[in-house]
Every structure is written in structure tokens, then in C-alpha cells.
Amino acid sequence: MENPSHSKRIFSGIQPTGNLTIGNYLGAVKRWVKLQAEKIDTIYCIVDLHAATIWQEPRELKESTRELVASLLACGLNPEESTLFNQSQVSVHSELAWIFNCVARIGWLNRMTQFKDKAGKDREKASVGLFAYPTLMAADILAYKATHVPVGEDQKQHLELTRDIASKFNLDYKVRNFFPLPEPLIEGAATRVMSLRDGQKKMSKSDPSDFSRINLNDNNDLINQKIKKAKTDPYPLPDSLVELQERPEALNLINIYAALSDKTPEAVLIEFSGKTFSYFKPKLAELTVDQICPISDKMKALQKDPSYIDSVLENGSVEAEKIANPIIDEVYEIVGLIRKRRQH
Ligand code: AMP
Ligand code: TRP
């Protein structure tokens, strides 16, 4: 047992950079909504400070943040049941991130593949924030002593680092079990949705080709076109997953279908075995439109009321602070920092 005495608490975060894709939806948000329905303590955060590790136009950042809230609400997150807020409104995230910058080792951060990917060839020109991104992420999670973190597969390494930071803090300061060692929840058929143009590449908001992804605000026609044009192969669908291992594009479409319909990929293959893509693709498009279009309609309605969106974030951040403030007070005490007493 790694987390004795820590009660189950879910935390996850998402960056306000561009439209949500079906990858974000299936890999993360759809599962967040499920966990919320299980009446577990769920905290979801729009990580605007993480977005700032790469240049963002200030006005666009605010807009993207509000747009993301609208998408999350449209996907079924309920501010009455989950705590939903933006990271920068709760200063504990930045405060704890600094402490963790002093706990984490440069060698650990040097191994992070997301930094290598995002920094590209000229690493010297990347922001210090981009390098320290994972310590802020660890702070997001541990500011609430969260025990479980639902994410897509790309975040696994960051979660391992979070556990390393929690362990080292507990060990260095001799506060055994103070921070839990949070566990990633990487589950389901769509933990890594791939690009529709290249089955070896992750579907991403930032891919230059819009035809590589399905966005949650794409309309019926566009979804149909994108699925029709999605790269596949000339062979019919087999009846077992093993035979799809060498066919990444085909596997990806099966996984998307499975995740959208809450079935296993095996069950989907049994349904479609022997069928060609000209049969399967329209079925996939229909299912996608059925699930995505109601979300984008709700999103548009919600976006008409930015003051409601802002009030959701403000209320959420008050709730978040109720949990995080006592924890950071304890951290400062443990580290030996003198603080003025809080006004209640
Ligand atoms: P980001 O857009 O990078 O802030 O990611 C938000 C969440 O979506 C994280 O939990 C990611 O792991 C997840 N995610 C992003 N892209 C994909 C993808 N292509 N497939 C599955 N999950 C994804
Ligand atoms: N790094 C995550 C991503 O790019 C976003 C994120 C920030 C996050 N803080 C988090 C995810 C805390 C889970 C928990 O997708």
C-alpha cells in the first residue's frame, strides 16, 4: 500500500491552447466526467501558467481559457460536483512549484521527453518555464494531495516525476507519507489517439494540418470529410487485434470507435470483421457526429455568457483554496519558512 491514510482524490489539468480535439476528449475529459459521476472528490484545473511556458498572445490566452471552460462544461463537467478553476487564480500552485524546483534534480528534468519535443533543436532558446514545466505539474497535483490523475499516455513520464518529487520531499524532510504518491489513471481504448494523417504521430491541437484531428467544434460536414480522408489501407478489417499491430491507422480508427461507443476494440472488430473502410468509415463518422455535435452546440451557447464562465472559475478557485491553503501552510512549516498568520 503506497498511500495509507490518503483518501482518494482525483486531480487533472488541461492547457488552454487551441480547440480541444477528440484525443483530449477521449484520452482525458470523457473520463473526467465519468469519475465525477462516481461521486469521487474531483478537481479539474485549466493550467494557464503551463500554457505560458510557450508564448501566448495575452488577449488570446484569456479567450482560450474561457473557451476551454465552455468546452469542459459542454462535455458534462458540472461545477456543482467537481471543482473547476484556472491555475493562476490559486497562488499555491506557483508557491509549491518553487519548493519543488528545489527538491527536483536537473538530471531528472533533463530526461523529460516532452521538453525535448517542445523545445525542438534550439534548446538554449526554450524558456526556463518550459524546462521546469513538470515541477509545476507536480505542484498542481500535490497541492491537493491528490491520489489519482486521469491523463493520456503522453503524461506518464510527468506522473513518474511527480512521484519522485513526492518521495524525495517526504524523505528529505523526514515527513513520511506527507505527500501521497499519485497514481496515473491511463485507461480505456483511447489513451493515445493518433493523427488521422499519420498513425505514428499523436493527434495534437498544434499539428499544422487541421485534417490530422477532429476538433470538438467541428461541424457535421467537416467531421465527415475528415474521416473520409483519414489515411487507411486497402485491406478489410480482421477479427483480432493482433492483426492490427502492423496497421496503425486502422488500429487508431478502431480505438476511436471503441472509445466513443464505450466498447472494447475487440468487440468493435467482431462487429466489423471482414468489412472494408468504405463501409466502416461512414459508421465511424455517424457515431462521431452523434457524440461531438451536441457538445459543440452546447459550447456555442455557453460562450455567449463570459460572465457566467468567469463566475464558475472564481467559485472553483475559492473551493480549491480551501483545500490547498492548509496544505501549503504545512509545507512552509515543514520547510522552515516563517509566515504571517492567515486572515480567515
Ligand atoms: P493537453 O492538450 O496537452 O493539455 O492535454 C490534455 C489532456 O489530454 C492530457 O491528459 C493528455 O494526456 C490528453 N491528450 C492529449 N492529446 C491526446 C491524444 N492524442 N490521445 C489521448 N489523450 C490525449
Ligand atoms: N501536462 C499536462 C498536459 O500537457 C497538463 C497538466 C498540467 C496536468 N498539470 C497537470 C495534467 C496536473 C494532470 C495533472 O496534458
Side-chain angles (χ1 to χ4, degrees), residues 40-292:
I40 306 164
D41 185 1
T42 42
I43 306 176
Y44 298 125
C45 181
I46 294 171
V47 291
D48 46 8
L49 296 171
H50 275 117
T53 58
I54 288 175
W55 171 253
Q56 306 289 331
E57 285 300 331
R59 199 191 303 230
E60 282 172 26
L61 182 55
K62 280 194 179 172
E63 280 318 301
S64 317
T65 303
R66 293 194 180 107
E67 197 179 295
L68 180 55
V69 181
S71 317
L72 296 176
L73 297 176
C75 288
L77 282 192
N78 178 351
E80 305 288 317
E81 295 180 65
S82 294
T83 304
L84 176 63
F85 67 104
N86 59 314
Q87 190 183 29
S88 59
Q89 286 207 63
V90 179
S91 56
V92 173
H93 293 244
S94 309
E95 296 177 56
L96 189 57
W98 184 258
I99 303 289
F100 287 168
N101 279 339
C102 304
V103 173
R105 306 290 94 182
I106 290 176
W108 300 359
L109 291 177
N110 271 335
R111 288 197 284 273
M112 296 295 113
T113 54
Q114 184 171 296
F115 173 73
K116 290 180 200 162
D117 292 345
K118 287 198 177 176
K121 285 201 191 78
D122 200 353
R123 240 186 254 184
E124 297 286 305
K125 290 247 167 70
S127 74
V128 176
L130 190 66
F131 186 66
Y133 180 115
T135 59
L136 178 59
M137 179 161 161
D140 296 338
I141 298 164
L142 295 171
Y144 304 91
K145 296 192 176 178
T147 55
H148 294 83
V149 185
V151 280
E153 204 181 83
D154 58 346
Q155 294 304 310
K156 197 170 169 199
Q157 197 185 32
H158 287 159
L159 258 298
E160 277 157 16
L161 185 90
T162 301
R163 292 164 64 90
D164 290 342
I165 290 176
S167 298
K168 185 160 161 49
F169 182 96
N170 291 348
L171 195 73
D172 286 355
Y173 290 103
K174 301 185 180 58
V175 282
R176 204 165 156 257
N177 203 33
F178 177 76
F179 283 124
L181 306 189
E183 290 177 27
L185 293 178
I186 302 174
E187 295 162 341
T191 56
R192 190 172 172 81
V193 177
M194 308 310 279
S195 157
L196 299 181
R197 314 296 295 162
D198 177 354
Q200 313 279 359
K201 235 168 89 183
K202 193 184 74 162
M203 183 183 284
S204 155
K205 294 166 183 165
S206 55
D207 194 299
S209 162
D210 193 50
F211 270 71
S212 69
R213 62 180 161 260
I214 291 169
N215 305 306
L216 289 196
N217 61 358
D218 286 347
N219 62 25
N220 188 332
D221 284 351
L222 198 52
I223 293 175
N224 272 291
Q225 276 181 46
K226 285 179 175 179
I227 293 181
K228 199 169 173 189
K229 290 226 170 102
K231 187 175 166 199
T232 43
D233 54 46
Y235 310 107
L237 286 161
D239 57 12
S240 85
L241 267 184
V242 188
E243 292 170 66
L244 279 188
Q245 293 317 313
E246 304 297 311
R247 298 167 63 185
E249 286 84 12
L251 178 63
N252 189 38
L253 296 187
I254 293 293
N255 282 340
I256 294 176
Y257 192 100
L260 281 172
S261 58
D262 292 314
K263 291 183 180 152
T264 60
E266 290 84 355
V268 176
L269 278 183
I270 290 171
E271 198 176 329
F272 290 102
S273 93
K275 297 279 195 283
T276 59
F277 281 101
S278 60
Y279 179 86
F280 176 72
K281 278 182 168 181
K283 301 276 181 211
L284 176 61
E286 194 184 314
L287 179 65
T288 311
V289 165
D290 276 356
Q291 299 232 343
I292 300 302

